[in-house]
């Protein structure tokens, strides 16, 4: 507790097929570390790309984003390789995680970029991602009929300690874990909708958070570099599992990037089922921001 305010505590270890948060046990923080914290398919790679361009002076970067901004929780690389990459870096480090706040350490000297998206869009985006996997999981939320899969995703309960959960409750639990600490000065919330509407302002805001002075011309160049079509064209540099036997297509990782993917697929009854469920999980103000962004919290 600092100045009467409670601080986050790491209380849970999440383990799944691809992730294991015990890997944080050997992490050594640096005072200016930056963490990109999101559920899957909520703008993680997009935010990493913005950070990379800002940290490297707007000139882009060489190699793969996953080598520059490791996904620390992921078992795609051994913990030794991941920590070795981080220890060898001389630039400002920015690290990716999909873990709820109760599964990662909190450092008051670091900055946290926390990005969310309308949960309905997140579901359809993660569905496309899973179907692009060479060996997709056999789970109810991935039912052949996307409407049945959506309802299974809405109904599934949150399971403490289980990694890579595919459910609305797991999504809202991730959100709630960070939202409860939104008073912290080093927690910075972003919404995918707002970034889509005004990427220029998002880039400028992240630059200010990182205390990086960026000329207006460079901001424009970064906006072009992180455009959806541009990143899709260079998918091999951005896809987390690029070069590994995980995905059918790197390009398909960037499926559409659009909002309201669910519109025209879900019936009114299915949307109502979702609405009842999320309103039972979060207060109205949080639901409104999570679905839309663009409001003060």
């Amino acid at each position: 507790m600092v100045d009467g305010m409670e601080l986050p505590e790491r209380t849970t270890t999440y383990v799944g097929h691809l992730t294991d948060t015990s890997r944080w046990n050997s992490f050594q923080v640096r005072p200016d570390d930056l963490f990109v914290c999101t559920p899957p398919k909520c703008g993680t790679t997009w935010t990493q790309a913005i950070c990379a361009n800002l940290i490297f002076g707007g000139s882009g970067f060489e190699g793969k984003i996953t080598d520059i901004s490791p996904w620390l929780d992921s078992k795609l690389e051994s913990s030794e390789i991941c920590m070795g990459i981080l220890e060898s870096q001389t630039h400002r480090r920015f690290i990716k995680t999909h873990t709820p706040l109760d599964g990662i350490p909190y450092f008051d000297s670091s900055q946290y970029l926390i990005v969310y998206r309308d949960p309905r869009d997140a579901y359809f985006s993660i569905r496309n991602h899973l179907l692009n996997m060479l060996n997709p999981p056999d789970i109810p939320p991935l039912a052949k009929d996307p409407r049945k899969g959506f309802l299974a995703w809405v109904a599934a309960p949150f399971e403490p300690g289980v990694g890579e959960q595919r459910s609305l409750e797991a999504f809202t639990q991730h959100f709630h874990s960070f939202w409860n600490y939104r008073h912290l000065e080093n927690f910075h919330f972003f919404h995918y909708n707002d970034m889509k509407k005004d990427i220029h302002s998002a880039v400028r805001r992240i630059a200010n958070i990182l205390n990086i002075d960026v000329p207006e011309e460079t901001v424009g160049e970064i906006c072009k570099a992180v455009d959806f079509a541009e990143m899709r064209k260079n998918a091999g540099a951005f896809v987390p599992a690029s070069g590994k036997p995980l995905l059918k297509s790197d390009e398909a990782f960037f499926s559409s990037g659009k909002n309201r993917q669910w519109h025209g697929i879900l019936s009114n009854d299915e949307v109502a089922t979702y609405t009842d469920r999320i309103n039972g999980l979060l207060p109205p103000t949080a639901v409104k921001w999570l679905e839309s962004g663009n409001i003060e919290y």
Side-chain angles (χ1 to χ4, degrees):
M1 184 175 292
V2 176
D3 296 331
M5 296 189 300
E6 290 188 3
L7 297 178
E9 293 184 10
R10 183 182 172 207
T11 59
T12 307
T13 298
Y14 292 88
V15 180
H17 177 66
L18 291 175
T19 57
D20 181 353
T21 62
S22 67
R23 292 161 61 100
W24 285 96
N25 295 344
S26 57
F27 176 73
Q28 298 294 317
V29 69
R30 294 178 186 172
D32 63 351
D33 278 342
L34 172 68
F35 300 100
V36 178
C37 308
T38 78
K41 306 304 288 184
C42 286
T44 322
T45 306
W46 198 9
T47 307
Q48 288 175 287
I50 294 170
C51 291
N53 277 277
L54 286 169
I55 288 169
F56 293 109
S59 58
F61 58 92
E62 296 182 1
K64 299 178 180 179
I65 194 73
T66 191
D67 294 331
I68 302 168
S69 176
W71 179 9
L72 196 149
D73 312 308
S74 171
K75 295 186 282 189
L76 290 171
E77 295 286 2
S78 71
S79 181
E80 290 75 17
I81 290 176
C82 181
M83 298 305 169
I85 290 171
L86 288 170
E87 286 301 313
S88 67
Q89 290 180 339
T90 56
H91 60 78
R92 184 170 189 176
R93 305 190 306 185
F94 54 113
I95 298 154
K96 161 186 170 178
T97 179
H98 290 317
T99 301
L101 183 57
D102 64 355
I104 64 174
Y106 170 73
F107 306 105
D108 60 8
S109 64
S110 299
Q111 300 298 320
Y112 294 75
L113 303 184
I114 306 160
V115 191
Y116 288 99
R117 186 181 193 179
D118 184 325
R120 293 162 291 189
D121 281 322
Y123 166 76
F124 280 96
S125 188
I126 193 65
R127 176 184 175 85
N128 291 333
H129 174 63
L130 294 175
L131 291 173
N132 185 40
M133 294 178 69
L134 291 170
N135 295 294
D138 183 14
I139 53 175
L142 203 57
K144 186 175 181 180
D145 182 339
R147 294 165 63 180
K148 289 183 179 179
F150 177 79
L151 291 176
W153 174 79
V154 168
F158 171 69
E159 301 178 64
V162 177
E164 302 139 54
Q165 294 181 53
R166 312 300 181 196
S167 73
L168 174 60
E169 188 173 4
F171 189 99
T172 58
Q173 191 273 342
H174 187 292
F175 173 77
H176 198 261
S177 73
F178 283 94
W179 188 256
N180 279 347
Y181 294 95
R182 60 191 182 278
H183 58 273
L184 295 175
E185 292 184 357
N186 58 340
F187 274 25
H188 311 280
F189 284 79
F190 289 78
H191 199 284
Y192 192 93
N193 286 9
D194 299 332
M195 294 171 71
K196 288 284 287 185
K197 290 176 186 175
D198 189 356
I199 187 59
H200 184 280
S201 293
V203 171
R204 176 61 70 188
R205 183 182 169 204
I206 293 174
N208 291 339
I209 291 167
L210 302 184
N211 290 317
I212 297 175
D213 186 17
V214 187
E216 191 62 26
E217 181 180 354
T218 302
V219 173
E221 292 171 355
I222 292 174
C223 290
K224 291 178 182 178
V226 301
D227 177 77
F228 182 85
E230 190 67 21
M231 290 180 66
R232 194 176 198 274
K233 185 172 68 177
N234 298 294
F238 294 104
V239 175
S242 179
K244 299 182 182 297
L246 189 68
L247 301 179
K248 299 172 185 175
S249 164
D250 283 353
E251 290 76 14
F253 176 83
F254 297 96
S255 177
S256 73
K258 296 179 180 178
N259 293 323
R260 294 178 64 81
Q261 297 180 47
W262 52 274
H263 193 67
I265 298 176
L266 301 177
S267 69
N268 290 339
D269 286 345
E270 287 152 355
V271 173
T273 298
Y274 155 84
T275 300
D276 287 345
R277 176 75 163 133
I278 196 169
N279 283 329
L281 295 169
L282 294 173
T285 302
V287 172
K288 185 176 181 181
W289 185 86
L290 191 56
E291 292 181 344
S292 305
N294 198 34
I295 63 170
E296 294 295 328
Y297 54 83

